Amino acid sequence: MLAVSLAAHAQPPDPADASLADARRAVRVADCARCHGKDYDGLAAPSIVGFARTQSRERFIAAVLDGNPSMGMPAYRGIPLIESRIDAIYDYFASTVPRRE
């Protein structure tokens, strides 16, 4: 009876949460932390979190998809893992990655 009661109150998974989890996995596979640090707040390369929070969505997407090869940033345009999730990746960095205080 308790199992039925709990199941009746279970919330369906939030598609936004699933999208952000998928974005997080793509970022890990692309190994962004290698240059941007484990918290993506800068290491050998600038902070992705800071960039996403200070730039427009369009500027962020262009920077990721077009890269900056002269500075060592690869272009991800044509890479389905990133390109198909780019909006969720922006959302992940702009609002989901915990801010370090």
Side-chain angles (χ1 to χ4, degrees), residues 41-56:
D41 58 1
L43 185 66
S47 169
I48 303 173
V49 175
F51 188 75
R53 291 182 179 159
T54 60
Q55 302 299 309
S56 69

Side-chain angles (χ1 to χ4, degrees), residues 42-91:
L43 185 66
S47 169
I48 303 173
V49 175
F51 188 75
R53 291 182 179 159
T54 60
Q55 302 299 309
S56 69
R57 177 181 295 270
E58 293 76 21
R59 174 73 181 106
F60 177 87
I61 289 171
V64 172
L65 295 182
D66 298 334
N68 187 343
S70 67
M71 297 298 291
M73 173 66 182
Y76 289 95
R77 188 171 303 283
I79 309 294
L81 174 71
I82 301 300
E83 203 167 28
S84 67
R85 296 164 177 85
I86 193 65
D87 285 318
I89 290 170
Y90 171 79
D91 292 340

Side-chain angles (χ1 to χ4, degrees), residues 1 4 6 9 16 18-19 22 28 30 38 51-52 57 61 69-70 83 86-87 94-95 98-99:
M1 184 104 151
V4 172
L6 291 176
H9 296 290
S19 177
D22 195 37
R28 281 198 322 264
K38 72 178 184 79
F51 188 75
R57 177 181 295 270
I61 289 171
S70 67
E83 203 167 28
I86 193 65
D87 285 318
S95 62
R99 295 175 193 225

Side-chain angles (χ1 to χ4, degrees), residues 3-38:
V4 172
S5 175
L6 291 176
H9 296 290
Q11 296 288 329
D14 183 348
D17 291 342
S19 177
L20 291 176
D22 195 37
R24 186 174 57 245
R25 282 189 292 277
V27 165
R28 281 198 322 264
V29 169
D31 199 14
C32 299
R34 177 184 54 185
C35 296
H36 295 281
K38 72 178 184 79

